[in-house]
Coordinates of all heavy atoms in Angstrom, one line a residue:
L1 N -13.5 -2.1 13.6 CA -12.4 -2.8 12.9 C -12.8 -3.2 11.5 O -12.0 -3.1 10.6 CB -11.9 -4.0 13.7 CG -10.7 -4.8 13.2 CD1 -9.5 -3.9 13.1 CD2 -10.4 -6.0 14.1
S2 N -14.0 -3.7 11.3 CA -14.5 -4.2 10.0 C -14.5 -3.0 9.0 O -14.0 -3.2 7.9 CB -15.8 -4.8 10.1 OG -16.3 -5.2 8.9
S3 N -14.9 -1.8 9.4 CA -14.9 -0.7 8.5 C -13.5 -0.2 8.2 O -13.2 0.2 7.1 CB -15.8 0.4 9.1 OG -15.2 0.9 10.3
D4 N -12.6 -0.3 9.2 CA -11.2 0.1 9.0 C -10.6 -0.9 8.0 O -9.9 -0.5 7.1 CB -10.4 0.0 10.3 CG -10.8 1.1 11.2 OD1 -11.4 2.1 10.8 OD2 -10.4 1.0 12.4
K5 N -10.9 -2.2 8.1 CA -10.3 -3.2 7.2 C -10.8 -2.9 5.8 O -10.0 -2.9 4.8 CB -10.7 -4.6 7.7 CG -10.1 -5.7 6.8 CD -10.4 -7.0 7.4 CE -11.7 -7.6 6.9 NZ -11.9 -9.0 7.3
Q6 N -12.1 -2.6 5.6 CA -12.6 -2.4 4.3 C -12.0 -1.1 3.7 O -11.7 -1.0 2.5 CB -14.2 -2.3 4.3 CG -14.8 -2.2 2.9 CD -14.4 -3.5 2.1 OE1 -14.6 -4.6 2.6 NE2 -13.9 -3.3 0.9
W7 N -11.8 -0.1 4.6 CA -11.2 1.2 4.1 C -9.8 0.8 3.6 O -9.4 1.4 2.5 CB -11.1 2.2 5.3 CG -10.5 3.4 4.9 CD1 -11.1 4.6 4.4 CD2 -9.1 3.8 4.9 NE1 -10.2 5.6 4.2 CE2 -9.0 5.1 4.5 CE3 -8.0 3.1 5.3 CZ2 -7.7 5.7 4.4 CZ3 -6.7 3.7 5.2 CH2 -6.6 5.0 4.7
I8 N -9.0 0.0 4.3 CA -7.7 -0.3 3.8 C -7.7 -1.0 2.5 O -7.0 -0.7 1.6 CB -7.0 -1.2 4.9 CG1 -6.7 -0.4 6.1 CG2 -5.8 -1.9 4.3 CD1 -6.2 -1.2 7.3
F9 N -8.7 -2.0 2.3 CA -8.8 -2.6 1.0 C -9.2 -1.7 -0.1 O -8.8 -1.9 -1.3 CB -9.8 -3.8 1.1 CG -9.3 -5.0 1.7 CD1 -9.8 -5.5 2.9 CD2 -8.3 -5.8 1.2 CE1 -9.3 -6.6 3.6 CE2 -7.8 -6.9 1.8 CZ -8.3 -7.3 3.0
D10 N -10.0 -0.7 0.2 CA -10.5 0.2 -0.9 C -9.6 1.4 -1.1 O -9.3 1.7 -2.3 CB -11.9 0.7 -0.5 CG -12.9 -0.3 -0.4 OD1 -12.8 -1.4 -1.0 OD2 -14.0 -0.1 0.3
K11 N -9.1 2.1 -0.1 CA -8.4 3.3 -0.2 C -7.0 3.2 -0.6 O -6.5 4.0 -1.4 CB -8.6 4.1 1.1 CG -8.0 5.5 1.1 CD -8.8 6.4 0.3 CE -8.2 7.9 0.5 NZ -8.9 8.8 -0.3
L12 N -6.2 2.3 0.0 CA -4.8 2.2 -0.2 C -4.4 1.9 -1.7 O -3.6 2.5 -2.2 CB -4.1 1.3 0.8 CG -4.1 1.7 2.2 CD1 -3.4 0.7 3.1 CD2 -3.5 3.1 2.4
P13 N -5.1 1.0 -2.3 CA -4.8 0.8 -3.7 C -5.1 2.0 -4.6 O -4.3 2.3 -5.5 CB -5.7 -0.4 -4.1 CG -6.0 -1.1 -2.9 CD -6.0 -0.1 -1.8
E14 N -6.2 2.7 -4.3 CA -6.5 3.9 -5.0 C -5.4 5.0 -4.9 O -5.0 5.6 -5.8 CB -7.8 4.5 -4.6 CG -9.0 3.7 -5.1 CD -9.1 3.6 -6.6 OE1 -8.9 4.6 -7.3 OE2 -9.3 2.5 -7.1
E15 N -4.9 5.1 -3.6 CA -3.9 6.1 -3.4 C -2.5 5.7 -4.0 O -1.8 6.5 -4.5 CB -3.7 6.4 -1.9 CG -4.9 7.1 -1.3 CD -5.1 8.4 -1.9 OE1 -4.2 9.2 -2.1 OE2 -6.3 8.7 -2.2
A16 N -2.3 4.4 -4.0 CA -1.0 3.8 -4.6 C -1.0 4.1 -6.1 O 0.1 4.4 -6.7 CB -0.9 2.3 -4.4
K17 N -2.2 4.1 -6.8 CA -2.2 4.4 -8.2 C -1.7 5.8 -8.5 O -1.2 6.1 -9.6 CB -3.7 4.3 -8.7 CG -4.2 2.9 -8.8 CD -5.6 2.9 -9.4 CE -6.3 1.6 -9.3 NZ -7.6 1.6 -9.7
K18 N -1.8 6.7 -7.6 CA -1.5 8.1 -7.8 C 0.0 8.3 -7.6 O 0.5 9.4 -7.9 CB -2.2 9.0 -6.8 CG -3.7 9.0 -6.9 CD -4.4 9.8 -5.8 CE -5.9 9.6 -5.9 NZ -6.5 10.3 -4.8
M19 N 0.7 7.4 -7.1 CA 2.2 7.5 -6.8 C 2.9 7.5 -8.2 O 2.6 6.6 -9.0 CB 2.7 6.4 -5.9 CG 2.1 6.4 -4.5 SD 3.0 7.5 -3.5 CE 4.6 6.8 -3.3
P20 N 3.9 8.4 -8.3 CA 4.7 8.4 -9.6 C 5.4 7.0 -9.9 O 5.7 6.7 -11.0 CB 5.7 9.5 -9.4 CG 5.2 10.3 -8.2 CD 4.3 9.4 -7.4
L21 N 5.7 6.3 -8.8 CA 6.5 5.0 -9.0 C 5.6 3.9 -9.5 O 6.0 2.9 -10.1 CB 7.0 4.6 -7.6 CG 8.1 5.4 -7.0 CD1 8.4 5.0 -5.6 CD2 9.4 5.3 -7.9
T22 N 4.2 4.1 -9.3 CA 3.3 3.0 -9.7 C 3.2 3.0 -11.2 O 2.9 4.0 -11.9 CB 2.0 3.2 -9.0 OG1 2.1 3.2 -7.6 CG2 1.0 2.1 -9.4
L23 N 3.3 1.8 -11.8 CA 3.2 1.6 -13.3 C 1.8 2.1 -13.7 O 0.8 1.7 -13.1 CB 3.4 0.2 -13.6 CG 3.6 -0.2 -15.1 CD1 4.9 0.6 -15.6 CD2 3.8 -1.7 -15.3
A24 N 1.7 2.9 -14.8 CA 0.5 3.5 -15.2 C -0.5 2.4 -15.8 O -1.7 2.5 -15.6 CB 0.8 4.5 -16.3
K25 N 0.1 1.4 -16.5 CA -0.8 0.4 -17.1 C -0.2 -1.0 -16.7 O 0.4 -1.7 -17.5 CB -0.9 0.5 -18.6 CG -1.5 1.8 -19.1 CD -1.7 1.9 -20.6 CE -2.4 3.2 -20.9 NZ -2.7 3.3 -22.3
P26 N -0.5 -1.3 -15.4 CA 0.1 -2.6 -14.9 C -0.6 -3.8 -15.4 O -1.7 -3.7 -15.9 CB 0.0 -2.4 -13.4 CG -1.3 -1.6 -13.3 CD -1.3 -0.7 -14.4
L27 N 0.1 -4.9 -15.3 CA -0.6 -6.2 -15.5 C -1.7 -6.5 -14.5 O -2.6 -7.2 -14.8 CB 0.5 -7.4 -15.5 CG 1.6 -7.3 -16.5 CD1 2.6 -8.3 -16.2 CD2 1.1 -7.4 -17.9
M28 N -1.5 -6.0 -13.3 CA -2.5 -6.1 -12.3 C -2.6 -4.8 -11.5 O -1.6 -4.2 -11.2 CB -2.0 -7.2 -11.3 CG -3.0 -7.6 -10.3 SD -2.3 -9.0 -9.2 CE -1.5 -8.0 -7.9
E29 N -3.8 -4.4 -11.2 CA -4.0 -3.2 -10.4 C -3.4 -3.3 -9.0 O -3.3 -4.4 -8.5 CB -5.5 -2.9 -10.3 CG -6.2 -2.5 -11.6 CD -5.7 -1.2 -12.2 OE1 -5.6 -0.2 -11.4 OE2 -5.5 -1.1 -13.4
P30 N -3.0 -2.2 -8.4 CA -2.6 -2.3 -7.0 C -3.6 -2.9 -6.1 O -4.8 -2.8 -6.4 CB -2.4 -0.8 -6.6 CG -2.1 -0.1 -7.9 CD -2.9 -0.8 -8.9
A31 N -3.2 -3.7 -5.2 CA -4.1 -4.5 -4.3 C -3.6 -4.6 -2.9 O -2.4 -4.6 -2.7 CB -4.4 -5.9 -5.0
V32 N -4.5 -4.8 -2.0 CA -4.1 -5.1 -0.6 C -4.5 -6.5 -0.3 O -5.6 -6.9 -0.7 CB -4.8 -4.1 0.4 CG1 -4.6 -4.5 1.8 CG2 -4.3 -2.7 0.2
Y33 N -3.7 -7.2 0.4 CA -4.0 -8.6 0.8 C -3.8 -8.7 2.3 O -2.8 -8.2 2.9 CB -3.0 -9.6 0.1 CG -3.2 -9.6 -1.4 CD1 -2.3 -8.8 -2.2 CD2 -4.2 -10.3 -1.9 CE1 -2.5 -8.8 -3.6 CE2 -4.4 -10.3 -3.3 CZ -3.5 -9.6 -4.1 OH -3.7 -9.6 -5.5
L34 N -4.7 -9.4 3.0 CA -4.6 -9.7 4.4 C -3.8 -10.9 4.4 O -4.1 -12.0 3.9 CB -6.0 -10.0 5.0 CG -6.1 -10.4 6.4 CD1 -5.5 -9.3 7.3 CD2 -7.5 -10.7 6.8
I35 N -2.6 -10.8 5.1 CA -1.6 -11.9 5.1 C -1.5 -12.6 6.4 O -0.9 -13.7 6.5 CB -0.3 -11.4 4.6 CG1 0.3 -10.4 5.5 CG2 -0.4 -11.0 3.2 CD1 1.8 -10.1 5.3
Q36 N -2.0 -12.0 7.5 CA -1.8 -12.7 8.8 C -2.8 -12.1 9.8 O -3.0 -10.9 9.9 CB -0.3 -12.4 9.3 CG 0.0 -13.2 10.6 CD 1.4 -13.0 11.0 OE1 2.0 -11.9 10.6 NE2 2.0 -13.9 11.7
L37 N -3.3 -13.0 10.7 CA -4.2 -12.6 11.8 C -3.4 -12.8 13.1 O -2.8 -13.9 13.3 CB -5.4 -13.5 11.8 CG -6.3 -13.4 10.6 CD1 -7.4 -14.4 10.7 CD2 -7.0 -12.0 10.5
G38 N -3.4 -11.8 13.9 CA -2.8 -12.0 15.2 C -3.8 -11.8 16.3 O -5.0 -11.5 16.0
N39 N -3.4 -11.9 17.6 CA -4.4 -11.8 18.7 C -5.0 -10.4 18.7 O -6.1 -10.2 19.0 CB -3.6 -12.0 20.0 CG -3.3 -13.5 20.2 OD1 -4.0 -14.4 19.6 ND2 -2.3 -13.8 21.0
D40 N -4.2 -9.4 18.4 CA -4.7 -8.0 18.5 C -4.3 -7.2 17.2 O -4.2 -6.0 17.3 CB -4.1 -7.3 19.7 CG -2.6 -7.3 19.8 OD1 -2.0 -8.0 19.0 OD2 -2.0 -6.7 20.7
R41 N -4.1 -7.9 16.1 CA -3.7 -7.1 14.9 C -4.0 -7.9 13.7 O -4.2 -9.1 13.7 CB -2.2 -6.7 14.9 CG -1.3 -7.9 14.8 CD 0.1 -7.4 14.7 NE 1.0 -8.6 14.5 CZ 2.1 -8.8 15.1 NH1 2.4 -8.1 16.1 NH2 2.8 -9.9 14.8
L42 N -4.1 -7.2 12.6 CA -4.2 -7.8 11.2 C -3.0 -7.2 10.4 O -2.7 -6.1 10.5 CB -5.5 -7.3 10.6 CG -6.8 -7.6 11.3 CD1 -8.0 -6.9 10.6 CD2 -7.0 -9.1 11.4
N43 N -2.3 -8.1 9.7 CA -1.2 -7.7 8.9 C -1.6 -7.7 7.4 O -2.2 -8.7 6.9 CB 0.0 -8.6 9.1 CG 0.6 -8.4 10.4 OD1 0.5 -7.4 11.1 ND2 1.3 -9.4 10.9
F44 N -1.3 -6.6 6.7 CA -1.7 -6.5 5.3 C -0.4 -6.2 4.5 O 0.6 -5.8 5.0 CB -2.6 -5.2 5.1 CG -3.9 -5.3 5.8 CD1 -4.0 -4.8 7.1 CD2 -5.0 -5.8 5.2 CE1 -5.2 -4.9 7.8 CE2 -6.2 -5.9 5.8 CZ -6.3 -5.4 7.1
E45 N -0.5 -6.5 3.2 CA 0.5 -6.1 2.2 C -0.1 -5.4 1.1 O -1.2 -5.7 0.6 CB 1.2 -7.4 1.6 CG 2.2 -8.0 2.6 CD 3.0 -9.1 1.9 OE1 2.7 -9.5 0.7 OE2 3.9 -9.7 2.6
L46 N 0.5 -4.3 0.7 CA 0.1 -3.5 -0.5 C 1.0 -4.0 -1.7 O 2.2 -3.9 -1.6 CB 0.3 -2.0 -0.3 CG 0.1 -1.1 -1.5 CD1 -1.4 -1.2 -1.9 CD2 0.5 0.3 -1.1
W47 N 0.4 -4.5 -2.7 CA 1.1 -4.9 -3.9 C 0.9 -3.9 -5.0 O -0.2 -3.6 -5.3 CB 0.7 -6.3 -4.3 CG 1.1 -7.4 -3.4 CD1 1.4 -7.4 -2.1 CD2 1.2 -8.8 -3.8 NE1 1.7 -8.6 -1.6 CE2 1.6 -9.5 -2.7 CE3 1.1 -9.5 -5.0 CZ2 1.8 -10.9 -2.7 CZ3 1.3 -10.8 -5.0 CH2 1.7 -11.5 -3.8
V48 N 2.0 -3.5 -5.6 CA 2.0 -2.6 -6.8 C 3.0 -3.0 -7.8 O 4.0 -3.7 -7.5 CB 2.3 -1.1 -6.4 CG1 1.2 -0.6 -5.4 CG2 3.6 -1.0 -5.8
W49 N 2.8 -2.6 -9.0 CA 3.8 -2.8 -10.1 C 4.5 -1.4 -10.2 O 3.9 -0.4 -10.3 CB 3.1 -3.1 -11.4 CG 2.5 -4.5 -11.5 CD1 1.3 -4.8 -11.2 CD2 3.2 -5.6 -12.0 NE1 1.1 -6.2 -11.4 CE2 2.3 -6.7 -11.9 CE3 4.5 -5.9 -12.4 CZ2 2.6 -8.0 -12.2 CZ3 4.8 -7.2 -12.8 CH2 3.9 -8.2 -12.7
V50 N 5.8 -1.5 -10.1 CA 6.6 -0.3 -10.1 C 7.2 0.0 -11.5 O 7.7 -0.9 -12.1 CB 7.7 -0.4 -9.0 CG1 8.6 0.8 -9.1 CG2 7.1 -0.6 -7.6
D51 N 7.1 1.3 -11.9 CA 7.7 1.7 -13.1 C 9.2 1.9 -13.0 O 9.7 2.7 -12.2 CB 7.1 3.1 -13.5 CG 7.5 3.5 -14.9 OD1 8.4 2.9 -15.5 OD2 6.9 4.5 -15.4
E52 N 9.9 1.0 -13.6 CA 11.4 1.0 -13.5 C 12.0 2.3 -13.9 O 13.1 2.7 -13.4 CB 12.0 -0.1 -14.3 CG 11.7 -1.5 -13.7 CD 12.3 -2.6 -14.5 OE1 12.8 -2.4 -15.6 OE2 12.2 -3.8 -14.1
K53 N 11.4 3.0 -14.8 CA 12.0 4.3 -15.3 C 11.9 5.4 -14.2 O 12.8 6.3 -14.2 CB 11.3 4.8 -16.5 CG 11.5 4.0 -17.8 CD 10.8 4.5 -18.9 CE 9.3 4.0 -18.8 NZ 8.5 4.3 -19.9
N54 N 10.9 5.3 -13.3 CA 10.8 6.3 -12.3 C 11.4 5.8 -10.9 O 11.3 6.5 -10.0 CB 9.3 6.6 -12.0 CG 8.7 7.3 -13.2 OD1 9.4 8.1 -13.9 ND2 7.4 7.2 -13.4
Q55 N 11.9 4.6 -10.9 CA 12.4 4.0 -9.7 C 13.9 4.4 -9.6 O 14.6 4.4 -10.6 CB 12.3 2.5 -9.7 CG 12.8 1.9 -8.4 CD 12.6 0.4 -8.4 OE1 12.1 -0.2 -9.4 NE2 13.1 -0.3 -7.4
S56 N 14.3 4.7 -8.4 CA 15.8 4.9 -8.2 C 16.5 3.6 -8.2 O 15.9 2.5 -8.3 CB 16.0 5.6 -6.8 OG 15.8 4.6 -5.8
Q57 N 17.8 3.7 -8.1 CA 18.6 2.4 -8.1 C 18.5 1.7 -6.8 O 19.0 0.6 -6.7 CB 20.1 2.8 -8.4 CG 20.3 3.4 -9.8 CD 20.0 2.5 -10.9 OE1 19.9 1.3 -10.7 NE2 19.8 3.0 -12.1
R58 N 17.9 2.3 -5.8 CA 17.8 1.7 -4.5 C 16.3 1.3 -4.2 O 15.5 2.2 -4.0 CB 18.3 2.6 -3.4 CG 19.8 2.8 -3.5 CD 20.3 3.8 -2.5 NE 20.6 5.0 -3.3 CZ 20.9 6.1 -2.8 NH1 20.9 6.3 -1.5 NH2 21.1 7.2 -3.6
P59 N 16.0 0.0 -4.2 CA 14.6 -0.4 -4.0 C 14.1 0.0 -2.7 O 12.9 0.3 -2.6 CB 14.7 -2.0 -4.1 CG 16.0 -2.3 -4.8 CD 16.9 -1.1 -4.5
Q60 N 14.9 0.2 -1.7 CA 14.4 0.6 -0.4 C 13.8 2.0 -0.4 O 12.9 2.4 0.4 CB 15.5 0.5 0.7 CG 16.7 1.4 0.6 CD 17.8 0.7 -0.2 OE1 17.6 -0.1 -1.1 NE2 19.0 1.1 0.1
E61 N 14.2 2.8 -1.4 CA 13.6 4.2 -1.5 C 12.1 4.0 -2.0 O 11.3 4.8 -1.5 CB 14.4 5.0 -2.5 CG 15.7 5.5 -1.9 CD 16.5 6.3 -2.9 OE1 16.1 6.6 -4.0 OE2 17.6 6.7 -2.5
A62 N 11.9 3.1 -2.9 CA 10.5 2.9 -3.3 C 9.7 2.3 -2.2 O 8.5 2.8 -1.9 CB 10.5 1.9 -4.5
V63 N 10.2 1.4 -1.4 CA 9.5 0.8 -0.3 C 9.2 1.9 0.7 O 8.1 2.0 1.2 CB 10.3 -0.3 0.4 CG1 9.7 -0.7 1.7 CG2 10.5 -1.5 -0.5
S64 N 10.1 2.8 1.0 CA 10.0 3.9 1.9 C 8.9 4.8 1.4 O 8.0 5.3 2.2 CB 11.3 4.6 2.1 OG 11.1 5.7 3.0
A65 N 8.8 5.1 0.2 CA 7.8 6.0 -0.4 C 6.4 5.4 -0.2 O 5.5 6.1 0.2 CB 8.0 6.2 -1.9
Y66 N 6.2 4.1 -0.4 CA 4.9 3.5 -0.2 C 4.6 3.4 1.3 O 3.4 3.6 1.7 CB 4.8 2.2 -0.9 CG 4.7 2.3 -2.4 CD1 5.8 2.0 -3.2 CD2 3.5 2.7 -3.0 CE1 5.7 2.1 -4.6 CE2 3.4 2.8 -4.4 CZ 4.5 2.5 -5.1 OH 4.4 2.7 -6.5
L67 N 5.5 3.1 2.1 CA 5.3 3.1 3.6 C 4.8 4.5 4.1 O 3.9 4.6 4.9 CB 6.5 2.6 4.3 CG 6.8 1.1 4.2 CD1 8.1 0.7 4.9 CD2 5.6 0.2 4.7
N68 N 5.5 5.5 3.6 CA 5.1 6.9 4.0 C 3.7 7.2 3.5 O 2.9 7.8 4.2 CB 6.1 7.9 3.4 CG 7.4 7.9 4.3 OD1 7.3 8.0 5.5 ND2 8.5 8.0 3.6
L69 N 3.3 6.8 2.3 CA 2.0 6.9 1.8 C 1.0 6.2 2.7 O 0.0 6.8 3.1 CB 1.9 6.4 0.4 CG 0.4 6.2 -0.1 CD1 -0.1 7.6 -0.5 CD2 0.4 5.2 -1.2
I70 N 1.3 5.0 3.1 CA 0.4 4.2 3.9 C 0.2 4.9 5.3 O -0.9 5.0 5.8 CB 0.9 2.8 4.1 CG1 0.8 2.0 2.7 CG2 0.1 2.0 5.2 CD1 1.5 0.7 2.7
E71 N 1.3 5.3 5.9 CA 1.2 5.9 7.2 C 0.4 7.2 7.2 O -0.5 7.4 8.0 CB 2.6 6.2 7.7 CG 2.6 6.9 9.1 CD 3.9 7.3 9.6 OE1 4.8 7.6 8.8 OE2 4.1 7.3 10.8
A72 N 0.6 8.0 6.1 CA -0.1 9.3 6.0 C -1.6 9.0 5.8 O -2.5 9.7 6.4 CB 0.4 10.1 4.8
Q73 N -2.0 8.0 5.0 CA -3.4 7.7 4.8 C -4.1 7.2 6.0 O -5.2 7.5 6.3 CB -3.5 6.8 3.6 CG -3.2 7.3 2.3 CD -4.1 8.5 1.9 OE1 -5.3 8.5 2.0 NE2 -3.5 9.6 1.5
L74 N -3.4 6.3 6.7 CA -3.9 5.8 8.0 C -4.1 6.9 9.0 O -5.2 6.9 9.7 CB -3.0 4.7 8.6 CG -2.9 3.4 7.7 CD1 -1.9 2.4 8.4 CD2 -4.3 2.7 7.6
K75 N -3.2 7.7 9.1 CA -3.3 8.9 10.1 C -4.4 9.8 9.7 O -5.2 10.2 10.6 CB -2.0 9.6 10.1 CG -1.9 10.7 11.1 CD -0.6 11.5 11.1 CE 0.1 11.2 12.4 NZ 1.4 12.0 12.4
Q76 N -4.6 10.1 8.4 CA -5.6 10.9 8.0 C -7.0 10.3 8.2 O -8.0 11.0 8.5 CB -5.5 11.2 6.5 CG -6.5 12.1 5.9 CD -6.3 12.4 4.4 OE1 -5.2 12.2 3.9 NE2 -7.3 12.9 3.7
A77 N -7.1 9.0 8.2 CA -8.4 8.3 8.4 C -8.6 8.0 9.9 O -9.7 7.5 10.3 CB -8.4 7.0 7.7
G78 N -7.6 8.4 10.7 CA -7.8 8.2 12.2 C -7.6 6.7 12.6 O -8.0 6.3 13.7
I79 N -6.9 6.0 11.8 CA -6.6 4.6 12.1 C -5.2 4.6 12.8 O -4.2 5.0 12.2 CB -6.6 3.7 10.9 CG1 -8.0 3.7 10.2 CG2 -6.2 2.3 11.2 CD1 -8.1 3.0 8.9
E80 N -5.2 4.1 14.0 CA -3.9 4.1 14.8 C -3.1 2.8 14.5 O -3.7 1.7 14.4 CB -4.2 4.2 16.3 CG -4.8 5.6 16.6 CD -4.9 5.7 18.1 OE1 -4.2 5.0 18.9 OE2 -5.8 6.5 18.5
L81 N -1.8 3.0 14.4 CA -0.9 1.8 14.3 C -0.5 1.4 15.7 O -0.3 2.2 16.6 CB 0.4 2.2 13.6 CG 0.2 2.7 12.1 CD1 1.5 3.1 11.5 CD2 -0.4 1.5 11.3
A82 N -0.5 0.1 15.9 CA -0.1 -0.5 17.2 C 1.4 -0.4 17.5 O 2.1 -0.4 16.6 CB -0.6 -1.9 17.4

C-alpha cells in the first residue's frame, strides 16, 4: 500500500501535465492530496489548473477526462479500485 500511495503522489501529477486541458504554465503544478483515511481505503484528490481555452463549456467533461486518466493509470499500474 505504501508503494501504491507513493506511486499515486508521483505518477498522477506527471500524467495530468500531459493532458491538453492542463494549463501549460500554472500558478501551481498538478498535485495529489490525501484527503481522507478510511478503514479500508485512502481518498485522494488530483488538483490541476485548467486552461479555459481548451475547456468545453461543460465542466463535467473536464472532470470526466481526468477521471478517465486516473482510472487508466491505476489499471496500468495494477492498482485495483475498491
Side-chain angles (χ1 to χ4, degrees):
L1 182 61
S2 179
S3 63
D4 289 346
K5 184 172 87 170
Q6 191 58 50
W7 181 91
I8 289 168
F9 282 115
D10 295 340
K11 182 72 171 174
L12 292 182
E14 287 301 316
E15 292 301 316
K17 287 180 190 179
K18 299 175 187 176
M19 295 281 291
L21 293 170
T22 303
L23 193 61
K25 295 184 180 188
L27 298 174
M28 187 178 92
E29 293 290 318
V32 170
Y33 297 97
L34 177 61
I35 60 163
Q36 187 178 25
L37 298 171
N39 290 337
D40 58 352
R41 70 176 185 229
L42 304 173
N43 290 336
F44 298 90
E45 284 186 355
L46 172 65
W47 287 27
V48 297
W49 289 89
V50 176
D51 186 348
E52 292 178 352
K53 292 180 277 183
N54 291 332
Q55 182 182 355
S56 72
Q57 296 297 341
R58 291 176 255 173
Q60 63 270 30
E61 289 179 2
V63 171
S64 179
Y66 286 104
L67 289 174
N68 283 315
L69 167 77
I70 291 167
E71 180 186 30
Q73 291 299 313
L74 292 174
K75 185 180 246 185
Q76 183 177 341
I79 300 172
E80 293 184 26
L81 298 175

